[in-house]
Every structure is written in structure tokens, then in C-alpha cells.
Amino acid sequence: MDGPADPRPRLEQTFFADPVLDRVLGMVMALSAEVWVLRERQRRMAIALERAGLASDATPSAEEEAALARERDAFTAALLENLLGRQVSKGAP
Amino acid sequence: MVGSPEFDAYQRFILSAKLYWTGPMFRALRETYRHRLSLAPKEMPPGPERVAALLAGEPDAQIFCWMERHLQRFKYSGRLGLVPAHEEARAAIEAALNAPLPPGLLELDPGFEVPRYFRAVDIHQHPGGIWSDEIAGAVYERGARSTTPLLSKDLSLHERFTDLVLALRRPRRLLDMGCGFGKSTKPFYERCREAEVLGIDIAAPCLKLAAQDAAAAQARNVAFKQRSADATRLPDGSFDLVTSTMMLHEMPPPVVEGTLREAFRLLEPGGLMIHLDFLPPEEDEFLTWIHYGHGRRNNEPYMEPLARMGIGRVMEAIGFREVRIEPFEEMEGALARRETHWRFPWAVVSGVRPAA
Ligand SMILES: C[S@@+](CC[C@H](N)C(=O)[O-])C[C@H]1O[C@@H](n2cnc3c(N)ncnc32)[C@H](O)[C@@H]1O
């Protein structure tokens, strides 16, 4: 605790051999979150438009909500399964 | 802004990612651990240190740990994180928190000094902690709805704990230590209308919310006070039941011990003390390693010391009898899913102050 204090804000914890990876993965996740926000917004608008042109009742039905939740989880899985690093079709190691 | 379609979409995405981390990423890591263990020299002594050695440099472990830390950071601090989203609603939240209350419902201590151990880290990655900002209690309330990613209705764990406690004891006078914004206190004051319930906490922003919530529920049998659990300044023997939920792991061991002593003093002879907290299963080195690391990654530095302090022995030394430490199922079938899903190692710690 003693000694000259580091004037920088505390540096973020690191988990990878190269700390740059820690930071870049953060950026990838931030972008992914933004993509999902846009996609969900767009789906909800489409639902509203499809229902009655410019009808103000944009609340999706329970089934539409459930479909959106499934879509969200599929989006997340497609994004994050890359991080599992498992072969999807068996090949050379 | 909280409640905007963008905010909701963002938070749902983070939760969805947390669920992926809880399931497939957890399973991948366990699989890698098992494989590494099968190759390990037999003389390596078991324990979390062995798991750390086996998984050092493993991409599965690095990714799992990164996700654990950063998904929580995104939840609180990202563009649509809880803290910035609540900032935009600050004025309305403050007005609601400062609405007049029935007399006696809330007692804050303007001179209260929040202990150093609580100021030193921002607990569960909530910037500024849950004590320093007027609206921190409201932010925490929203955040706590998804503390346990597998539980869609997080309240059910408090209801389940209340069921368990009330099956052991119908209290007349109950003290809920570390009551936060009252989520653990509410099922008791709602279900034991005949009992007097007191919630104490050190975080004023949470106590304010607890009191407003109780006022809205028109509860007449509860009060909230700003007191530390290890120094309550309440009279000896004034309760027949002392509870806490998720408080002990936020305290360093000397404060835990002081709190247990205080509970002993506050209980009448025959009274019951019962805490719901986290203690990893000793026989599972992998889950123990996960839990200790969770404490570090999620800014909960006393999780590991709590698990290591031998709380049962400390309780016996203080004088508690019928000391029990038992796993707790926060939802139906949770213990059976231990192999395949990350979860907190919920545990119930209880003891009785002997009758004279
Ligand atoms: C994780 S929260 C749980 C709150 C509540 N029991 C619930 O279940 O929602 C832990 C609480 O313990 C409180 N706490 C920490 N140290 C304390 C102390 N020394 N005395 C009283 N409360 C304390 C914190 O302020 C926080 O509100």
C-alpha cells in the first residue's frame, strides 16, 4: 500500500497472455451489444409496421417476445461459440 | 435511459451472454479441467491451487474469467449500463427516495462512517459502490434482478429462504442484518404480520429505498436503521430471530466474527441466528477455485476469506449450539445442475443461542 501512488486509474485486470487481447475483446463485445440493440430495435419496428402500417400499438405479442428471445440467444451463441474454440467438423488438430 | 427500448435490449443481450457463460462456457472449462487433471502427476495435492496450476494459460480459463469480469462491467458501466442509464433519471429517482415517510420507519445516522473495508473496493463492480451515491440503491435494485442469471424471477430465492426459516421458527422480533434495499426483509414483514421486523444496513441509499418500498406496501411492522451488524447499539436479548442474506461475504473475517458475537448478544436464550451466504463445496476443488476467483473478478474480496475462516468453529467458540452449515437450493433442482451450470455455492449457516 505504501510507496508512490500510481496516478493512473487502477488498470483493468488481465486474463490473456497479451493484455492487448483483453482490451480488444472488450471492444468486440461492446460492438456486439450495439449490433444486438439495433437488431432488436429493427425487429420491433418491423413487427409494428407489419401489424398495421403505422399503427401505434407496437407491443409485440407473447409469442413474438418469445421468438425475439430465441433470436437473441441464437445471436449470442453464434457470437460467443467462437470463443469456445471447439471444432465444429472434425479435422486436423 | 432506464426502461428505454435501447436500454432493455442492451441489458437483455448482456443477460443472454451471461447465460451462455453460465452454460456452454462453464461446461467447456470443466471439460478442460477434467482432461488436465487426468494428465496431472498423482502427487499434486488437491485443492484450488491445483486447479489454478492445471488451468494456467488455458484459453478456456482465460475466456471464462474474462467473460465473468467484463459481462458484469458491461452490465453496470457500458454505454447502456445501469449506472449511466440511471444517471439520466436521477432527479426523478431522488425525488421518489426523499418522499415523506411515516414516522419511525427509517432512521439514518448522518454521522455514520462507512467502514474502510467497504469503501476500498466497488462491490460487485458497481462504480462508487452501493453506499456513496444517493441513487446507488435504485441502481443496485435493478442490477439485483439478474444477480443469479439462471433465475428469471430472482425474488424466488428470497422467498425460498424465508420458507426455510419460517419452517424452523415463527419470530416475534426479527433482525435482518445487511438488509440492503429490503429484498430479504420484505418476505418476512409481509408474511409475519404479527412480528416486529428491523432491517439494518450501513448503506444509506439502500435503506432509503427499503423504507420507501415498505411505505408503498403499507407495512406497519417494519423499521430500518443505519447500523453496522457488528455494533448495532441495540439492547441485549432483544430478538428471537436474527437473519442475513448475502451479507457475510462482504465483510472481512474479524467483522464476521464481531457480527456473530453481536448476534449472540442480541438473541434471547433459545433464539436462532440464520444466514444465507456462499460457501463453496470443499470436496469440489474446481468449484472452489471458481468461487475464489469470482470474488477477485467481481470485486468481492472477502468471499475467499469467509470460506476459509471456519465459520462453524467460530460460532461454537462464541457459544452457539446446533451449528449447521448446509447447501441451499436457490431454485428447484439447482444442486443437481452443479455439474453443468455455473451457480453461486449457496449455503445456510445457522446456530442457536442455548437457553440459559
Ligand atoms: C449483497 S447485499 C444483500 C442485501 C439484502 N440482504 C438482499 O438480500 O438483497 C449485502 C448488504 O450487506 C450490507 N453490509 C455490508 N457490511 C455490513 C455491515 N457491517 N453491517 C450491516 N450491513 C452490511 C451492504 O451494505 C449490502 O446492502
PDB file of all heavy atoms in Angstrom, chain B residues 1 4 12 21 35 49-50 79 84 95 100 106 110 116 129 166-167 169-170 173 201 207 231 274 292 295 315 323:
ATOM      1  N   MET B   1     -31.350   5.724 -21.168  1.00  0.00           N
ATOM      2  CA  MET B   1     -32.268   5.950 -20.035  1.00  0.00           C
ATOM      3  C   MET B   1     -32.867   4.620 -19.566  1.00  0.00           C
ATOM      4  O   MET B   1     -33.227   3.791 -20.403  1.00  0.00           O
ATOM      5  CB  MET B   1     -33.368   6.911 -20.523  1.00  0.00           C
ATOM      6  CG  MET B   1     -34.486   7.159 -19.578  1.00  0.00           C
ATOM      7  SD  MET B   1     -34.068   8.396 -18.342  1.00  0.00           S
ATOM      8  CE  MET B   1     -35.291   9.653 -18.652  1.00  0.00           C
ATOM      9  N   SER B   4     -35.778   2.494 -21.360  1.00  0.00           N
ATOM     10  CA  SER B   4     -35.944   2.790 -22.789  1.00  0.00           C
ATOM     11  C   SER B   4     -35.772   1.475 -23.561  1.00  0.00           C
ATOM     12  O   SER B   4     -35.123   0.538 -23.071  1.00  0.00           O
ATOM     13  CB  SER B   4     -34.897   3.800 -23.254  1.00  0.00           C
ATOM     14  OG  SER B   4     -33.615   3.190 -23.276  1.00  0.00           O
ATOM     15  N   ARG B  12     -30.778  -7.054 -21.990  1.00  0.00           N
ATOM     16  CA  ARG B  12     -31.177  -8.436 -22.312  1.00  0.00           C
ATOM     17  C   ARG B  12     -30.053  -9.161 -23.034  1.00  0.00           C
ATOM     18  O   ARG B  12     -29.851 -10.354 -22.838  1.00  0.00           O
ATOM     19  CB  ARG B  12     -32.459  -8.433 -23.160  1.00  0.00           C
ATOM     20  CG  ARG B  12     -33.707  -8.262 -22.313  1.00  0.00           C
ATOM     21  CD  ARG B  12     -34.969  -8.550 -23.124  1.00  0.00           C
ATOM     22  NE  ARG B  12     -35.236  -7.511 -24.105  1.00  0.00           N
ATOM     23  CZ  ARG B  12     -36.220  -6.620 -23.991  1.00  0.00           C
ATOM     24  NH1 ARG B  12     -37.028  -6.643 -22.951  1.00  0.00           N
ATOM     25  NH2 ARG B  12     -36.398  -5.725 -24.921  1.00  0.00           N
ATOM     26  N   TRP B  21     -22.321 -17.903 -20.834  1.00  0.00           N
ATOM     27  CA  TRP B  21     -21.152 -18.097 -19.973  1.00  0.00           C
ATOM     28  C   TRP B  21     -21.467 -19.135 -18.878  1.00  0.00           C
ATOM     29  O   TRP B  21     -20.670 -20.026 -18.594  1.00  0.00           O
ATOM     30  CB  TRP B  21     -20.780 -16.732 -19.367  1.00  0.00           C
ATOM     31  CG  TRP B  21     -19.805 -16.776 -18.258  1.00  0.00           C
ATOM     32  CD1 TRP B  21     -18.445 -16.847 -18.357  1.00  0.00           C
ATOM     33  CD2 TRP B  21     -20.100 -16.761 -16.849  1.00  0.00           C
ATOM     34  NE1 TRP B  21     -17.888 -16.875 -17.100  1.00  0.00           N
ATOM     35  CE2 TRP B  21     -18.879 -16.827 -16.172  1.00  0.00           C
ATOM     36  CE3 TRP B  21     -21.294 -16.698 -16.104  1.00  0.00           C
ATOM     37  CZ2 TRP B  21     -18.798 -16.830 -14.771  1.00  0.00           C
ATOM     38  CZ3 TRP B  21     -21.215 -16.701 -14.726  1.00  0.00           C
ATOM     39  CH2 TRP B  21     -19.980 -16.768 -14.074  1.00  0.00           C
ATOM     40  N   HIS B  35      -9.749 -32.974 -18.175  1.00  0.00           N
ATOM     41  CA  HIS B  35      -8.703 -33.504 -19.050  1.00  0.00           C
ATOM     42  C   HIS B  35      -7.328 -33.226 -18.459  1.00  0.00           C
ATOM     43  O   HIS B  35      -6.485 -34.126 -18.353  1.00  0.00           O
ATOM     44  CB  HIS B  35      -8.835 -32.894 -20.446  1.00  0.00           C
ATOM     45  CG  HIS B  35      -7.751 -33.305 -21.377  1.00  0.00           C
ATOM     46  ND1 HIS B  35      -7.548 -34.634 -21.727  1.00  0.00           N
ATOM     47  CD2 HIS B  35      -6.778 -32.594 -21.993  1.00  0.00           C
ATOM     48  CE1 HIS B  35      -6.496 -34.710 -22.529  1.00  0.00           C
ATOM     49  NE2 HIS B  35      -6.013 -33.487 -22.706  1.00  0.00           N
ATOM     50  N   GLU B  49      -5.569 -24.529  -5.465  1.00  0.00           N
ATOM     51  CA  GLU B  49      -4.240 -24.179  -6.007  1.00  0.00           C
ATOM     52  C   GLU B  49      -3.892 -25.137  -7.151  1.00  0.00           C
ATOM     53  O   GLU B  49      -3.275 -24.741  -8.135  1.00  0.00           O
ATOM     54  CB  GLU B  49      -3.153 -24.254  -4.924  1.00  0.00           C
ATOM     55  CG  GLU B  49      -3.307 -23.235  -3.802  1.00  0.00           C
ATOM     56  CD  GLU B  49      -4.389 -23.589  -2.780  1.00  0.00           C
ATOM     57  OE1 GLU B  49      -4.867 -24.761  -2.774  1.00  0.00           O
ATOM     58  OE2 GLU B  49      -4.782 -22.702  -1.989  1.00  0.00           O
ATOM     59  N   ARG B  50      -4.276 -26.415  -6.991  1.00  0.00           N
ATOM     60  CA  ARG B  50      -4.006 -27.371  -8.066  1.00  0.00           C
ATOM     61  C   ARG B  50      -4.789 -26.981  -9.322  1.00  0.00           C
ATOM     62  O   ARG B  50      -4.249 -27.019 -10.431  1.00  0.00           O
ATOM     63  CB  ARG B  50      -4.376 -28.800  -7.629  1.00  0.00           C
ATOM     64  CG  ARG B  50      -4.329 -29.789  -8.787  1.00  0.00           C
ATOM     65  CD  ARG B  50      -4.347 -31.222  -8.342  1.00  0.00           C
ATOM     66  NE  ARG B  50      -5.703 -31.684  -8.006  1.00  0.00           N
ATOM     67  CZ  ARG B  50      -5.987 -32.941  -7.654  1.00  0.00           C
ATOM     68  NH1 ARG B  50      -5.025 -33.850  -7.568  1.00  0.00           N
ATOM     69  NH2 ARG B  50      -7.214 -33.291  -7.368  1.00  0.00           N
ATOM     70  N   ARG B  79     -22.166   1.507 -22.372  1.00  0.00           N
ATOM     71  CA  ARG B  79     -22.920   2.673 -22.841  1.00  0.00           C
ATOM     72  C   ARG B  79     -24.327   2.687 -22.264  1.00  0.00           C
ATOM     73  O   ARG B  79     -24.849   3.724 -21.864  1.00  0.00           O
ATOM     74  CB  ARG B  79     -23.007   2.671 -24.382  1.00  0.00           C
ATOM     75  CG  ARG B  79     -23.757   3.896 -24.917  1.00  0.00           C
ATOM     76  CD  ARG B  79     -23.686   3.980 -26.416  1.00  0.00           C
ATOM     77  NE  ARG B  79     -24.581   3.078 -27.110  1.00  0.00           N
ATOM     78  CZ  ARG B  79     -25.862   3.335 -27.384  1.00  0.00           C
ATOM     79  NH1 ARG B  79     -26.399   4.478 -27.015  1.00  0.00           N
ATOM     80  NH2 ARG B  79     -26.596   2.461 -28.043  1.00  0.00           N
ATOM     81  N   PRO B  84     -24.856   4.621 -16.043  1.00  0.00           N
ATOM     82  CA  PRO B  84     -25.202   5.756 -16.918  1.00  0.00           C
ATOM     83  C   PRO B  84     -26.698   5.847 -17.207  1.00  0.00           C
ATOM     84  O   PRO B  84     -27.243   6.958 -17.299  1.00  0.00           O
ATOM     85  CB  PRO B  84     -24.410   5.486 -18.210  1.00  0.00           C
ATOM     86  CG  PRO B  84     -23.830   4.125 -18.085  1.00  0.00           C
ATOM     87  CD  PRO B  84     -23.837   3.739 -16.646  1.00  0.00           C
ATOM     88  N   ALA B  95     -36.215  12.281  -6.091  1.00  0.00           N
ATOM     89  CA  ALA B  95     -37.488  12.774  -5.541  1.00  0.00           C
ATOM     90  C   ALA B  95     -38.267  11.629  -4.898  1.00  0.00           C
ATOM     91  O   ALA B  95     -38.794  11.761  -3.792  1.00  0.00           O
ATOM     92  CB  ALA B  95     -38.304  13.431  -6.647  1.00  0.00           C
ATOM     93  N   PRO B 100     -41.854  11.934   1.722  1.00  0.00           N
ATOM     94  CA  PRO B 100     -42.063  11.783   3.170  1.00  0.00           C
ATOM     95  C   PRO B 100     -42.443  10.355   3.548  1.00  0.00           C
ATOM     96  O   PRO B 100     -43.124   9.656   2.776  1.00  0.00           O
ATOM     97  CB  PRO B 100     -43.225  12.744   3.465  1.00  0.00           C
ATOM     98  CG  PRO B 100     -43.445  13.533   2.235  1.00  0.00           C
ATOM     99  CD  PRO B 100     -42.741  12.902   1.101  1.00  0.00           C
ATOM    100  N   LEU B 106     -37.780   4.965   9.108  1.00  0.00           N
ATOM    101  CA  LEU B 106     -36.374   4.999   8.687  1.00  0.00           C
ATOM    102  C   LEU B 106     -35.570   5.878   9.635  1.00  0.00           C
ATOM    103  O   LEU B 106     -35.955   7.013   9.919  1.00  0.00           O
ATOM    104  CB  LEU B 106     -36.280   5.580   7.271  1.00  0.00           C
ATOM    105  CG  LEU B 106     -34.866   5.805   6.726  1.00  0.00           C
ATOM    106  CD1 LEU B 106     -34.123   4.489   6.567  1.00  0.00           C
ATOM    107  CD2 LEU B 106     -34.925   6.543   5.389  1.00  0.00           C
ATOM    108  N   PRO B 110     -26.568  10.565  10.267  1.00  0.00           N
ATOM    109  CA  PRO B 110     -25.786  11.476   9.415  1.00  0.00           C
ATOM    110  C   PRO B 110     -24.290  11.413   9.710  1.00  0.00           C
ATOM    111  O   PRO B 110     -23.477  11.688   8.845  1.00  0.00           O
ATOM    112  CB  PRO B 110     -26.344  12.865   9.747  1.00  0.00           C
ATOM    113  CG  PRO B 110     -27.529  12.651  10.618  1.00  0.00           C
ATOM    114  CD  PRO B 110     -27.532  11.259  11.133  1.00  0.00           C
ATOM    115  N   ARG B 116     -13.852   1.295   6.265  1.00  0.00           N
ATOM    116  CA  ARG B 116     -12.834   1.335   5.216  1.00  0.00           C
ATOM    117  C   ARG B 116     -12.918   0.140   4.281  1.00  0.00           C
ATOM    118  O   ARG B 116     -12.780   0.275   3.078  1.00  0.00           O
ATOM    119  CB  ARG B 116     -11.455   1.332   5.871  1.00  0.00           C
ATOM    120  CG  ARG B 116     -10.636   2.539   5.535  1.00  0.00           C
ATOM    121  CD  ARG B 116      -9.311   2.394   6.229  1.00  0.00           C
ATOM    122  NE  ARG B 116      -8.465   1.501   5.438  1.00  0.00           N
ATOM    123  CZ  ARG B 116      -7.257   1.827   5.005  1.00  0.00           C
ATOM    124  NH1 ARG B 116      -6.765   2.987   5.294  1.00  0.00           N
ATOM    125  NH2 ARG B 116      -6.546   0.973   4.295  1.00  0.00           N
ATOM    126  N   GLY B 129     -19.651   1.877  -5.562  1.00  0.00           N
ATOM    127  CA  GLY B 129     -20.248   1.019  -4.533  1.00  0.00           C
ATOM    128  C   GLY B 129     -21.722   1.335  -4.348  1.00  0.00           C
ATOM    129  O   GLY B 129     -22.295   2.179  -5.042  1.00  0.00           O
ATOM    130  N   LEU B 166     -38.971 -19.846   8.194  1.00  0.00           N
ATOM    131  CA  LEU B 166     -40.254 -19.861   8.917  1.00  0.00           C
ATOM    132  C   LEU B 166     -40.667 -21.283   9.286  1.00  0.00           C
ATOM    133  O   LEU B 166     -41.424 -21.480  10.233  1.00  0.00           O
ATOM    134  CB  LEU B 166     -41.348 -19.154   8.105  1.00  0.00           C
ATOM    135  CG  LEU B 166     -41.121 -17.644   7.891  1.00  0.00           C
ATOM    136  CD1 LEU B 166     -42.293 -17.020   7.157  1.00  0.00           C
ATOM    137  CD2 LEU B 166     -40.865 -16.921   9.217  1.00  0.00           C
ATOM    138  N   ALA B 167     -40.144 -22.251   8.561  1.00  0.00           N
ATOM    139  CA  ALA B 167     -40.428 -23.640   8.935  1.00  0.00           C
ATOM    140  C   ALA B 167     -39.713 -23.984  10.249  1.00  0.00           C
ATOM    141  O   ALA B 167     -40.141 -24.873  10.991  1.00  0.00           O
ATOM    142  CB  ALA B 167     -39.975 -24.589   7.831  1.00  0.00           C
ATOM    143  N   ARG B 169     -38.909 -21.482  12.626  1.00  0.00           N
ATOM    144  CA  ARG B 169     -39.195 -20.512  13.666  1.00  0.00           C
ATOM    145  C   ARG B 169     -40.219 -19.491  13.197  1.00  0.00           C
ATOM    146  O   ARG B 169     -40.048 -18.907  12.139  1.00  0.00           O
ATOM    147  CB  ARG B 169     -37.855 -19.805  13.964  1.00  0.00           C
ATOM    148  CG  ARG B 169     -37.741 -19.044  15.229  1.00  0.00           C
ATOM    149  CD  ARG B 169     -37.763 -19.885  16.443  1.00  0.00           C
ATOM    150  NE  ARG B 169     -36.675 -20.830  16.589  1.00  0.00           N
ATOM    151  CZ  ARG B 169     -35.841 -20.848  17.638  1.00  0.00           C
ATOM    152  NH1 ARG B 169     -35.941 -19.942  18.586  1.00  0.00           N
ATOM    153  NH2 ARG B 169     -34.921 -21.776  17.729  1.00  0.00           N
ATOM    154  N   ARG B 170     -41.268 -19.248  13.982  1.00  0.00           N
ATOM    155  CA  ARG B 170     -42.145 -18.090  13.710  1.00  0.00           C
ATOM    156  C   ARG B 170     -41.681 -16.975  14.635  1.00  0.00           C
ATOM    157  O   ARG B 170     -41.863 -17.083  15.850  1.00  0.00           O
ATOM    158  CB  ARG B 170     -43.624 -18.393  14.022  1.00  0.00           C
ATOM    159  CG  ARG B 170     -44.347 -19.386  13.147  1.00  0.00           C
ATOM    160  CD  ARG B 170     -44.467 -18.999  11.709  1.00  0.00           C
ATOM    161  NE  ARG B 170     -45.172 -17.748  11.438  1.00  0.00           N
ATOM    162  CZ  ARG B 170     -45.539 -17.363  10.212  1.00  0.00           C
ATOM    163  NH1 ARG B 170     -45.274 -18.139   9.158  1.00  0.00           N
ATOM    164  NH2 ARG B 170     -46.160 -16.221  10.024  1.00  0.00           N
ATOM    165  N   ARG B 173     -39.791 -11.124  17.233  1.00  0.00           N
ATOM    166  CA  ARG B 173     -38.945  -9.963  16.952  1.00  0.00           C
ATOM    167  C   ARG B 173     -37.770 -10.399  16.095  1.00  0.00           C
ATOM    168  O   ARG B 173     -36.974 -11.247  16.518  1.00  0.00           O
ATOM    169  CB  ARG B 173     -38.468  -9.326  18.250  1.00  0.00           C
ATOM    170  CG  ARG B 173     -39.528  -8.408  18.870  1.00  0.00           C
ATOM    171  CD  ARG B 173     -39.231  -8.096  20.318  1.00  0.00           C
ATOM    172  NE  ARG B 173     -39.333  -9.317  21.125  1.00  0.00           N
ATOM    173  CZ  ARG B 173     -38.433  -9.705  22.020  1.00  0.00           C
ATOM    174  NH1 ARG B 173     -37.346  -9.005  22.237  1.00  0.00           N
ATOM    175  NH2 ARG B 173     -38.623 -10.818  22.704  1.00  0.00           N
ATOM    176  N   ASP B 201     -28.534  -1.789   7.989  1.00  0.00           N
ATOM    177  CA  ASP B 201     -27.533  -1.812   6.927  1.00  0.00           C
ATOM    178  C   ASP B 201     -26.631  -0.597   7.106  1.00  0.00           C
ATOM    179  O   ASP B 201     -26.986   0.341   7.827  1.00  0.00           O
ATOM    180  CB  ASP B 201     -28.205  -1.786   5.540  1.00  0.00           C
ATOM    181  CG  ASP B 201     -27.312  -2.370   4.448  1.00  0.00           C
ATOM    182  OD1 ASP B 201     -26.360  -1.681   4.022  1.00  0.00           O
ATOM    183  OD2 ASP B 201     -27.551  -3.515   4.023  1.00  0.00           O
ATOM    184  N   LEU B 207     -31.031   1.787   2.307  1.00  0.00           N
ATOM    185  CA  LEU B 207     -32.045   1.878   3.371  1.00  0.00           C
ATOM    186  C   LEU B 207     -33.199   2.786   2.963  1.00  0.00           C
ATOM    187  O   LEU B 207     -34.361   2.512   3.262  1.00  0.00           O
ATOM    188  CB  LEU B 207     -31.399   2.397   4.658  1.00  0.00           C
ATOM    189  CG  LEU B 207     -30.468   1.391   5.354  1.00  0.00           C
ATOM    190  CD1 LEU B 207     -29.577   2.116   6.369  1.00  0.00           C
ATOM    191  CD2 LEU B 207     -31.270   0.290   6.044  1.00  0.00           C
ATOM    192  N   ALA B 231     -21.953  -3.805  15.435  1.00  0.00           N
ATOM    193  CA  ALA B 231     -22.055  -2.804  16.515  1.00  0.00           C
ATOM    194  C   ALA B 231     -23.408  -2.125  16.397  1.00  0.00           C
ATOM    195  O   ALA B 231     -23.516  -0.989  15.964  1.00  0.00           O
ATOM    196  CB  ALA B 231     -20.928  -1.779  16.387  1.00  0.00           C
ATOM    197  N   ILE B 274     -29.572 -17.168  11.645  1.00  0.00           N
ATOM    198  CA  ILE B 274     -29.501 -17.927  10.385  1.00  0.00           C
ATOM    199  C   ILE B 274     -29.102 -16.989   9.233  1.00  0.00           C
ATOM    200  O   ILE B 274     -29.699 -15.931   9.042  1.00  0.00           O
ATOM    201  CB  ILE B 274     -30.822 -18.707  10.139  1.00  0.00           C
ATOM    202  CG1 ILE B 274     -30.743 -19.550   8.876  1.00  0.00           C
ATOM    203  CG2 ILE B 274     -32.031 -17.831  10.118  1.00  0.00           C
ATOM    204  CD1 ILE B 274     -31.779 -20.684   8.863  1.00  0.00           C
ATOM    205  N   TYR B 292     -13.472 -18.743  -5.532  1.00  0.00           N
ATOM    206  CA  TYR B 292     -12.441 -17.809  -5.051  1.00  0.00           C
ATOM    207  C   TYR B 292     -12.112 -16.787  -6.142  1.00  0.00           C
ATOM    208  O   TYR B 292     -11.962 -15.599  -5.870  1.00  0.00           O
ATOM    209  CB  TYR B 292     -11.170 -18.561  -4.642  1.00  0.00           C
ATOM    210  CG  TYR B 292     -11.314 -19.404  -3.390  1.00  0.00           C
ATOM    211  CD1 TYR B 292     -10.280 -20.243  -2.961  1.00  0.00           C
ATOM    212  CD2 TYR B 292     -12.480 -19.367  -2.626  1.00  0.00           C
ATOM    213  CE1 TYR B 292     -10.408 -21.018  -1.816  1.00  0.00           C
ATOM    214  CE2 TYR B 292     -12.617 -20.142  -1.485  1.00  0.00           C
ATOM    215  CZ  TYR B 292     -11.581 -20.970  -1.083  1.00  0.00           C
ATOM    216  OH  TYR B 292     -11.703 -21.734   0.038  1.00  0.00           O
ATOM    217  N   GLY B 295     -14.696 -14.050  -6.524  1.00  0.00           N
ATOM    218  CA  GLY B 295     -14.531 -12.979  -5.550  1.00  0.00           C
ATOM    219  C   GLY B 295     -13.578 -11.914  -6.077  1.00  0.00           C
ATOM    220  O   GLY B 295     -13.852 -10.714  -5.995  1.00  0.00           O
ATOM    221  N   MET B 315     -18.433 -19.999  15.452  1.00  0.00           N
ATOM    222  CA  MET B 315     -19.752 -19.933  16.097  1.00  0.00           C
ATOM    223  C   MET B 315     -19.778 -20.762  17.379  1.00  0.00           C
ATOM    224  O   MET B 315     -20.306 -20.330  18.404  1.00  0.00           O
ATOM    225  CB  MET B 315     -20.843 -20.406  15.122  1.00  0.00           C
ATOM    226  CG  MET B 315     -21.176 -19.336  14.076  1.00  0.00           C
ATOM    227  SD  MET B 315     -22.101 -19.979  12.672  1.00  0.00           S
ATOM    228  CE  MET B 315     -23.553 -20.611  13.449  1.00  0.00           C
ATOM    229  N   VAL B 323     -25.039 -25.860  15.608  1.00  0.00           N
ATOM    230  CA  VAL B 323     -24.440 -25.145  14.480  1.00  0.00           C
ATOM    231  C   VAL B 323     -24.579 -26.003  13.216  1.00  0.00           C
ATOM    232  O   VAL B 323     -24.216 -27.174  13.217  1.00  0.00           O
ATOM    233  CB  VAL B 323     -22.949 -24.831  14.769  1.00  0.00           C
ATOM    234  CG1 VAL B 323     -22.256 -24.306  13.528  1.00  0.00           C
ATOM    235  CG2 VAL B 323     -22.848 -23.837  15.922  1.00  0.00           C
TER     236      VAL B 323
END
